[in-house]
Amino acid sequence: MKIFFIVGARPNFVKLNPVYKTFSKEFKNLKIIHTGQHYDYELDKAFFEDFEIPNPDYYLNVGSDTHAKQTAKIMIKLDELFDEDKPDWVFVFGDVNSTISASLTAIKRNIKIAHVESGLRSFDLSMPEEINRILTDRISNIHFVSEPSGVLNLLKEGISLKSIYLVGNTMIESLISVLKIVDDRFNNLSEKFKIKEKNYAILTLHRPSNVDNFEKFREIMDTIQEISNYIKIIFPAHPRTLKNLKHFDFKNVLITKPLRYLDFISLLKFSKFVLTDSGGIQEETTYLKIPCLTLRENTERPITVEKGTNVLVGTSKEKIIYHFNEIMNNNFKKGLDIEFWDEFVSKRILNAFINYLSNLL
Ligand code: UD1
């Protein structure tokens, strides 16, 4: 049995980490394929170092481009690779362009597809990730789901129940694996950023709908300026966001390059609250029970709102400030534990995979 794990962008590496480690105890013939969608050190190599997972067996070096060209380039390169070295299964992760490109290339060559973090839906087709999710799920053979909403979404779309496994959240398994070791790092970070436990907030922003539309971006930044009168904000900025940030002059907002995983988790763990438009950070804050104001109108991760510490605030200044005050006055919801968001997610994936294979025989 030959299995390829196909990854390309920052959140993929976090999901790959536990799954690769657990599968490598059971299977010999595993390979990591990196599409090269992300290539900056902080978005890419630093994750492999922090997780101590091996360097990719193949690197496709596609780089940035329009969505169609990036997707097409990955497909062409993967297709050539599959011609030389054909796997029996590919594992794809999350919802990035590398996920759909790999899935499409695999199905055209009759290679089976396992989708980790399947079933999430924002019901917003203007998000490139939503298209990637729906299409990947439609052609995957096995669906590993992180929260109950995902199971319902897949069933509604006519996916067979036999292929669906509610296994929990691989991002949380990665998070738990480092939670103890990040405490030491906080000493350095607190010196570097001049912060103390719970006296700062974190901001991350990279969705095209928030950062590429300048009016909207300005509106968000205006609110951030106001909040920063009361609390220091650390803002690790994605490369696409950095380009627009040069138009602003902040006082109490500290802009940095994207942080490596261990540093980011360390800052997250000791932060007062988080403002973000990321998917994964909504989940990490829910696990850590840290208030999270999500600068989006919808989420594909509804459990973080229903049970966790997440609130969808969109980009309305009024709403953001209202919830900011709730947090500062310690009036914010506390959040509950989420079932299966633990250190055994990749073991459940492995067991489900073996179970699925044995049912095929
Ligand atoms: C991608 C994912 C998004 C995920 C995010 C995590 C898609 C459609 N989007 O968005 O779901 O949340 O990754 O970070 O797959 N760039 C660099 N260096 C890099 C990579 C990108 O400078 O290493 C710049 C380039 O200018 C590029 C832009 O960032 O054009 C966008 O990169 P891209 O991979 O297209 O999407 P992300 O915004 O990173």
Side-chain angles (χ1 to χ4, degrees):
M1 164 85 61
K2 195 194 289 182
I3 304 174
F4 284 6
F5 295 95
I6 304 182
V7 287
R10 174 170 61 178
N12 285 170
F13 312 137
V14 187
K15 292 160 198 165
L16 167 75
N17 168 44
V19 182
Y20 180 81
K21 284 176 181 158
T22 298
F23 271 62
S24 60
K25 290 180 196 138
E26 187 74 24
F27 293 97
K28 291 269 165 303
N29 207 349
L30 304 180
K31 285 184 180 164
I32 298 175
I33 321 300
H34 189 323
T35 64
Q37 177 175 344
H38 282 177
Y39 43 84
D40 282 2
Y41 176 78
E42 295 83 7
L43 297 185
D44 171 14
K45 190 119 186 41
F47 282 78
F48 285 80
E49 291 171 4
D50 282 356
F51 292 134
E52 298 176 353
I53 43 181
N55 285 329
D57 296 273
Y58 297 106
Y59 185 76
L60 307 182
N61 200 19
V62 296
S64 305
D65 216 319
T66 63
H67 284 252
K69 284 187 188 158
Q70 188 178 58
T71 309
K73 276 187 202 163
I74 297 171
M75 288 183 68
I76 292 168
K77 294 208 170 179
L78 261 185
D79 196 48
E80 286 165 4
L81 174 62
F82 290 163
D83 200 29
E84 283 167 29
D85 191 3
K86 189 179 172 186
D88 302 292
W89 279 87
V90 296
F91 274 60
V92 296
F93 300 83
D95 55 17
V96 301
N97 287 342
S98 299
T99 313
I100 181 61
S101 314
S103 308
L104 268 175
T105 317
I107 195 165
K108 300 271 184 185
R109 282 189 174 265
N110 250 328
I111 298 165
K112 293 207 160 44
I113 305 162
H115 185 200
V116 176
E117 198 191 80
S118 176
L120 297 182
R121 297 289 181 267
S122 67
F123 304 101
D124 174 3
L125 279 177
S126 70
M127 278 179 86
E129 292 83 357
E130 182 72 354
I131 301 161
N132 296 343
R133 291 181 198 115
I134 295 171
L135 300 183
T136 301
D137 281 336
R138 181 63 188 81
I139 57 178
S140 291
N141 298 82
I142 179 161
H143 304 82
F144 298 118
V145 181
S146 55
E147 63 164 84
S149 71
V151 175
L152 294 178
N153 293 333
L154 291 171
L155 290 174
K156 275 191 214 147
E157 289 173 21
I159 306 286
S160 161
L161 182 60
K162 283 189 199 141
S163 75
I164 304 172
Y165 294 87
L166 180 62
V167 290
N169 193 322
T170 52
M171 271 212 152
I172 299 303
E173 185 173 354
S174 270
L175 172 69
I176 295 169
S177 74
V178 302
L179 263 190
K180 288 208 180 80
I181 60 169
V182 296
D183 290 8
D184 286 347
R185 296 181 94 87
F186 191 69
N187 298 333
N188 286 341
L189 291 165
S190 65
E191 250 173 57
K192 182 173 163 194
F193 294 127
K194 303 196 172 34
I195 47 173
K196 290 199 188 105
E197 219 176 301
K198 302 285 173 199
N199 80 348
Y200 64 95
I202 299 177
L203 167 68
T204 82
L205 212 55
H206 74 279
R207 296 266 159 225
S209 57
N210 281 337
V211 302
D212 291 352
N213 172 338
F214 194 70
E215 273 319 299
K216 201 160 198 198
F217 189 58
R218 190 206 297 274
E219 198 186 323
I220 299 172
M221 288 305 125
D222 189 46
T223 312
I224 297 301
Q225 293 266 37
E226 177 143 348
I227 291 179
S228 72
N229 289 326
Y230 304 94
I231 189 165
K232 187 170 200 162
I233 298 179
I234 315 265
F235 184 5
H238 184 286
R240 78 181 310 143
T241 316
L242 265 179
K243 287 179 209 152
N244 276 338
L245 271 173
K246 52 179 181 281
H247 304 285
F248 297 89
D249 185 21
F250 295 109
K251 285 202 186 68
N252 207 19
V253 181
L254 216 152
I255 299 165
T256 74
K257 290 212 290 187
L259 295 168
R260 58 189 310 148
Y261 183 74
L262 292 176
D263 286 342
F264 186 74
I265 298 299
S266 176
L267 279 185
L268 199 59
K269 184 172 173 184
F270 297 105
S271 65
K272 177 82 178 164
F273 70 98
V274 175
L275 294 138
T276 190
D277 63 3
S278 148
I281 296 172
Q282 296 172 48
E283 300 179 327
E284 288 163 341
T285 45
T286 275
Y287 181 81
L288 295 170
K289 301 204 164 66
I290 288 172
C292 178
L293 305 185
T294 295
L295 303 162
R296 287 174 49 190
E297 304 294 342
N298 55 47
T299 180
E300 59 288 338
R301 296 156 158 92
I303 205 159
T304 61
V305 175
E306 289 153 16
K307 292 196 172 166
T309 52
N310 190 18
V311 175
L312 299 177
V313 291
T315 51
S316 134
K317 184 170 187 174
E318 207 186 329
K319 223 171 173 180
I320 299 172
I321 299 288
Y322 172 82
H323 289 287
F324 164 66
N325 285 328
E326 294 279 285
I327 294 167
M328 296 311 270
N329 295 329
N330 286 324
N331 254 343
F332 200 77
K333 60 177 173 171
K334 301 287 176 253
L336 302 169
D337 292 339
I338 311 290
E339 196 178 10
F340 300 140
W341 288 20
D342 56 24
E343 60 269 58
F344 307 113
V345 183
S346 59
K347 288 218 175 71
R348 282 188 210 102
I349 292 180
L350 176 67
N351 290 341
F353 185 60
I354 292 170
N355 172 275
Y356 181 89
L357 294 179
S358 63
N359 287 342
L360 285 185
L361 294 177

